[in-house]
């Protein structure tokens, strides 16, 4: 399995990160991709990547909930990082109107700036969209071309929205522990999306799958996502893991 979205560098793992990585390896996670949040998390991100070479890989970007007054300075600081370090994607980027609707224009500007970088650098985008499918989709569709590729991470939208994403070449849905929640509409939506357009993720330390719902999530719990998908698609867990790994490698490289 390839875990395409983990915040293993989060302080919640400071006390037992080595044990968490051992459990991930034992569970069959062969690679962990880590999206950045903002300038304040870069050091921990790089430190975690360096501690687990050839296992943890960093993305670089500015998260929409970190877009504040000084976002242009944050963006220029983040842009400079691309000249000093190799990254597997631009992330996580997008629009989040769940907590605060007042910064839509700044979030849009930060998002589109980073979409442009992804094309210049030929890197995929890891997209965070919360209560914001319309503006996010509109931006991506407007910039869509043969080079633009990426993931709508933690997808929890409607059949209609999933179908819209399927119309964008080189875009995938990122599925996490939410798929194990009884009330999640995802089980009714996924039958309209082929496995060939999915990647799997945990989004730890958040969104722990059943039976750990409400507790700290960790990369090893990716196997619960994979099991849920094997039930929904009526294929073996091995097939889910193979197909989603091929998809992840196609996007993020080998
Ligand atoms: Zn995240």
């Amino acid at each position: 399995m390839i875990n395409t979205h983990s915040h293993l560098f989060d302080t919640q793992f400071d006390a037992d990160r080595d044990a968490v990585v051992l459990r991930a390896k034992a569970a069959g996670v062969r690679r962990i991709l880590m999206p950045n949040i903002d300038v304040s998390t870069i050091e921990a991100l790089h430190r975690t990547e360096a501690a687990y070479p050839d296992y943890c890989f960093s993305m670089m970007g500015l998260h929409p909930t970190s877009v504040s007054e000084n976002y242009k300075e944050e963006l220029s600081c983040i842009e400079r990082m691309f000249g000093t370090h190799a990254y597997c994607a631009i992330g996580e980027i997008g629009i989040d109107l769940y907590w605060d609707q007042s910064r839509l224009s700044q979030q849009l500007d930060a998002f589109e700036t980073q979409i442009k970088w992804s094309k210049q650098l030929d890197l995929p985008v890891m997209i965070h969209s919360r209560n914001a499918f319309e503006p996010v989709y509109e931006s991506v569709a407007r910039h869509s071309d043969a080079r633009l590729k990426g993931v709508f991470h933690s997808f929890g939208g409607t059949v209609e929205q999933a179908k819209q994403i399927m119309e964008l070449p080189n875009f995938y849905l990122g599925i996490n522990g939410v798929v194990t929640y009884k009330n999640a509409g995802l089980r009714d939506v996924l039958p309209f999306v082929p496995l060939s357009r999915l990647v799997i993720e945990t989004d730890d330390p958040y969104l722990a799958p059943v039976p750990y719902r409400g507790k700290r999530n960790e990369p090893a719990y990716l196997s619960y996502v994979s099991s849920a998908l094997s039930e929904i698609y009526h294929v073996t867990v091995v097939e889910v893991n193979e197909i989603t790994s091929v998809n992840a490698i196609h996007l993020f490289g080998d």
Side-chain angles (χ1 to χ4, degrees):
M1 293 179 281
I2 297 179
N3 192 335
T4 58
H5 196 116
S6 157
H7 300 283
L8 183 63
F9 55 92
D10 191 277
T11 53
Q12 288 193 47
F13 296 112
D14 283 355
D16 64 343
R17 194 170 284 107
D18 284 346
V20 167
V21 168
L22 284 178
R23 285 198 290 273
K25 288 180 176 173
V29 176
R30 61 180 169 117
R31 200 173 296 173
I32 295 176
L33 312 183
M34 305 182 297
N36 187 45
I37 303 295
D38 56 31
V39 171
S40 75
T41 55
I42 295 175
E43 201 207 320
L45 175 80
H46 286 169
R47 207 188 320 119
T48 304
E49 182 183 59
Y52 310 103
D54 297 324
Y55 192 67
C56 292
F57 298 87
S58 301
M59 305 179 197
M60 183 48 57
L62 180 63
H63 193 290
T65 60
S66 289
V67 170
S68 57
E69 307 283 289
N70 67 339
Y71 78 98
K72 283 189 192 281
E73 286 162 47
E74 287 255 337
L75 277 178
S76 61
C77 197
I78 282 169
E79 187 178 19
R80 281 197 297 277
M81 300 312 299
F82 292 102
T84 65
H85 195 105
Y87 297 103
C88 66
I90 311 252
E92 55 188 291
I93 65 174
I95 300 177
D96 189 318
L97 300 178
Y98 184 76
W99 299 109
D100 184 2
Q101 282 96 45
S102 69
R103 289 197 208 278
L104 175 59
S105 65
Q106 291 94 330
Q107 287 192 17
L108 256 176
D109 184 37
F111 184 38
E112 300 215 347
T113 300
Q114 295 179 93
I115 288 178
K116 286 173 199 153
W117 296 347
S118 88
K119 292 199 203 187
Q120 287 159 7
L121 298 165
D122 196 25
L123 287 173
V125 286
M126 177 58 71
I127 297 175
H128 171 110
S129 160
R130 195 171 185 200
N131 288 18
F133 183 81
E134 304 302 326
V136 165
Y137 187 83
E138 201 275 321
S139 286
V140 175
R142 190 154 29 82
H143 291 280
S144 178
D145 63 12
R147 281 171 306 164
L148 187 61
K149 53 188 183 282
V151 177
F152 281 75
H153 129 77
S154 195
F155 181 79
T158 63
V159 170
E160 204 42 56
Q161 291 169 347
K163 285 181 175 170
Q164 280 181 272
I165 296 170
M166 296 302 93
E167 285 167 18
L168 301 169
N170 304 319
F171 272 86
Y172 294 76
L173 305 187
I175 303 300
N176 56 36
V178 171
V179 74
T180 67
Y181 301 170
K182 280 231 155 47
N183 53 359
L186 214 43
R187 284 175 182 267
D188 304 319
V189 174
L190 285 177
F192 295 90
V193 182
L195 259 182
S196 61
R197 300 295 292 273
L198 299 188
V199 293
I200 53 176
E201 59 175 53
T202 45
D203 201 17
D204 57 76
Y206 317 106
L207 300 176
V210 172
Y212 302 104
R213 191 173 182 180
K215 304 215 170 68
R216 184 187 75 171
N217 195 5
E218 64 173 68
Y221 299 166
L222 191 61
S223 56
Y224 293 92
V225 176
S226 188
S227 300
L229 291 178
S230 99
E231 276 174 35
I232 293 168
Y233 286 93
H234 308 291
V235 295
T236 64
V237 166
V238 173
E239 282 172 279
V240 170
N241 294 345
E242 274 175 8
I243 296 168
T244 56
S245 293
V246 166
N247 298 343
I249 288 167
H250 175 72
L251 260 185
F252 300 101
D254 206 354

